[in-house]
Amino acid sequence: MTKTVKRKSVSDGIAFTGKSWSYVLRVPDPTTGKTKPKWVGGFDTQQSALLARDEARVALRRHSYIAPTKVTLSVFLDQWIETHALRVKPTTLSSYRELINNYLKPRLGSMPVQSIKASDIERFYSELITTPGKSGHNLNPATAVRCIAILKKALSYAEKVEGLITFNPAHRVSFPTVKANRPTPWTFSELNTFLELAKDHRLSFFFRLSAYTGARRGELLALRWSDFDGKAVTISKSRTLAGRSVVEQNSTKGGKGGQRRVALDPETVELFRDHARRQRLERGEPETVIGNWNSAGFVFTQSDGVTPLDTGTPTKLFAKLAKKAGLRSTRLHDLRHLHATELLRLGEPLHVVSDRLGHRDPMVTATVYAHVSNEQGETASNTFANASRSII
């Protein structure tokens, strides 16, 4: 027969409640300073309850005591993301929520925040990159690292602000550095082939401007006619997808006060004016050279000449036209990389290229396009030697 342990009275702060062992502490009220009894239960053995009691007493004396709570990671992440909603960009917030809902909650959400260990986080990362998802493919390591970064940030808040945990277990885990893929944009020849095929499409100028300014897709989608002064465009906003909504946000990348002026070559300026005339015809207005007409309107619109483009339209059209031209597969964003890569190869100063791209710091540009510097380094010795011989 199984021996039944009878319910016991409190002895030295320990008691058996009939199902498990518990201990009691007198915990100071943070407001009044008066102590109140705090029961903590759920221990399988008397010894484990005694150990937990002793650790809690030491923590109380050191003023590092944290009351046990069963708040799960799922509940905490919901509270944390709402707290941070106004501190990040809508696009960043949307990305956080997507990763939390798709990966963090399903795998770790049911665990109490206080019970999460470093080994749990290591196992979570391993499962992400080795277990096929809905698409049948393992998660990209870069996405897995972003999940860990969000978890680390949330747990830091739990530790330093909410006081739910004594330390952040995510800080005890190291993960491999994910190397960014080296950009492999088209050559000038491939770009010209693409632009020649696309020239009759109403949105051909979108791709021309992308390649000739290095602007991001969202920045071009937010561009208005008032941003064009006849010689350059001023980039200050970005239209992008955040969840299921399109948001327009102020740019905080590069330039002065979140703005940057990107000069245009004469041919692109003329094509800008041609695009304006095309849009006026779409609006049913007289075909005249652009002045200050419709300055609040978007440069790139749907076929009615008024409604802004859907964020996915340029990307889908780019892929379709590139395939039709028989070109190797690449991304719309790689037109930006083409712009930067070729300028650096042609000897344009790093800070000038950085300004055109809207990088906060030229070091960002130098890091992303380090391969160009390496290529230039291969010919540097010959350049110096040739210059030296020309003096003799």
Side-chain angles (χ1 to χ4, degrees):
M1 295 179 61
T2 302
K3 186 177 179 180
T4 303
V5 181
K6 296 181 179 180
R7 187 182 188 89
K8 295 182 178 181
S9 59
V10 179
S11 175
D12 197 18
I14 299 293
F16 183 71
T17 60
K19 292 184 179 180
S20 61
W21 290 88
S22 302
Y23 70 83
V24 65
L25 289 175
R26 293 200 65 86
V27 180
D29 184 281
T31 304
T32 65
K34 295 181 179 180
T35 61
K36 296 180 180 180
K38 171 72 176 179
W39 280 96
V40 180
F43 299 96
D44 295 332
T45 65
Q46 182 179 13
Q47 187 62 34
S48 61
L50 282 167
L51 180 60
R53 179 208 62 186
D54 292 343
E55 290 177 345
R57 285 177 174 178
V58 171
L60 275 173
R61 286 195 292 272
R62 292 178 175 175
H63 304 287
S64 61
Y65 175 75
I66 293 178
T69 174
K70 295 182 179 180
V71 173
T72 64
L73 181 64
S74 181
V75 171
F76 176 74
L77 285 174
D78 285 340
Q79 297 170 346
W80 175 77
I81 198 66
E82 290 305 320
T83 301
H84 284 69
L86 299 178
R87 303 182 185 181
V88 297
K89 291 181 179 180
T91 48
T92 303
L93 179 63
S94 175
S95 175
Y96 278 13
R97 282 185 168 144
E98 181 180 355
L99 294 176
I100 287 171
N101 293 329
N102 290 348
Y103 304 108
L104 286 166
K105 281 187 178 182
R107 295 180 182 271
L108 296 174
S110 62
M111 296 185 67
V113 173
Q114 292 182 340
S115 71
I116 296 175
K117 302 184 295 295
S119 58
D120 296 319
I121 298 173
E122 282 189 308
R123 184 166 53 254
F124 167 70
Y125 176 80
S126 297
E127 289 177 354
L128 284 182
I129 62 174
T130 59
T131 305
K134 294 180 180 179
S135 64
H137 301 288
N138 296 343
L139 193 66
N140 188 305
T143 304
V145 168
R146 285 198 294 273
C147 289
I148 298 297
I150 293 172
L151 180 61
K152 185 179 292 187
K153 185 177 293 187
L155 291 179
S156 288
Y157 189 83
E159 175 196 2
K160 298 175 181 179
V161 180
E162 295 292 341
L164 289 177
I165 52 180
T166 56
F167 67 92
N168 185 346
H171 285 311
R172 297 186 174 184
V173 183
S174 59
F175 297 97
T177 302
V178 178
K179 294 182 179 180
N181 293 329
R182 171 178 166 177
T184 53
W186 284 337
T187 62
F188 273 131
S189 175
E190 289 172 310
L191 173 64
N192 290 335
T193 297
F194 175 83
L195 293 178
E196 177 63 25
L197 181 136
K199 68 179 183 180
D200 293 328
H201 195 281
R202 60 178 300 275
L203 293 178
S204 60
F205 185 60
F206 184 98
F207 305 118
R208 165 81 184 207
L209 202 59
S210 176
Y212 278 66
T213 63
R216 302 173 179 88
R217 180 188 68 175
E219 293 170 340
L220 293 181
L221 290 172
L223 206 62
R224 296 177 183 268
W225 290 108
S226 56
D227 297 322
F228 174 56
D229 63 11
K231 295 182 179 180
V233 289
T234 298
I235 297 174
S236 62
K237 294 182 181 295
S238 178
R239 291 187 81 251
T240 189
L241 195 63
R244 296 182 178 180
S245 303
V246 176
V247 296
E248 183 171 316
Q249 56 194 19
N250 293 329
S251 172
T252 59
K253 297 183 178 181
K256 297 179 179 179
Q259 296 186 353
R260 69 182 189 276
R261 186 174 183 272
V262 182
L264 305 176
D265 63 279
E267 184 178 352
T268 300
V269 168
E270 187 56 39
L271 290 173
F272 217 125
R273 297 179 183 277
D274 290 342
H275 179 72
R277 285 189 283 268
R278 184 199 295 258
Q279 191 179 105
R280 294 204 65 155
L281 289 175
E282 291 176 340
R283 291 167 57 87
E285 297 177 1
E287 183 181 358
T288 58
V289 176
I290 183 173
N292 289 323
W293 65 277
N294 193 28
S295 61
F298 289 101
V299 172
F300 298 106
T301 65
Q302 297 183 26
S303 58
D304 60 3
V306 178
T307 308
L309 279 180
D310 179 81
T311 56
T313 297
T315 302
K316 294 175 183 176
L317 179 61
F318 177 79
K320 180 180 178 180
L321 293 176
K323 184 177 181 179
K324 185 177 180 180
L327 297 169
R328 59 190 170 92
S329 177
T330 190
R331 305 169 303 165
L332 172 60
H333 190 74
D334 285 327
L335 293 183
R336 173 177 168 84
H337 290 317
L338 185 155
H339 184 78
T341 299
E342 295 303 334
L343 283 179
L344 291 171
R345 281 177 176 158
L346 291 168
E348 200 68 36
L350 180 65
H351 72 277
V352 173
V353 178
S354 180
D355 286 344
R356 287 183 70 84
L357 295 179
H359 286 160
R360 288 193 182 98
D361 190 315
M363 285 306 298
V364 175
T365 314
T367 300
V368 175
Y369 300 101
H371 61 284
V372 179
S373 299
N374 293 338
E375 292 171 3
Q376 292 172 327
E378 293 296 324
T379 61
S381 58
N382 290 335
T383 301
F384 185 88
N386 292 336
S388 176
R389 283 193 292 270
S390 66
I391 304 265
I392 300 175

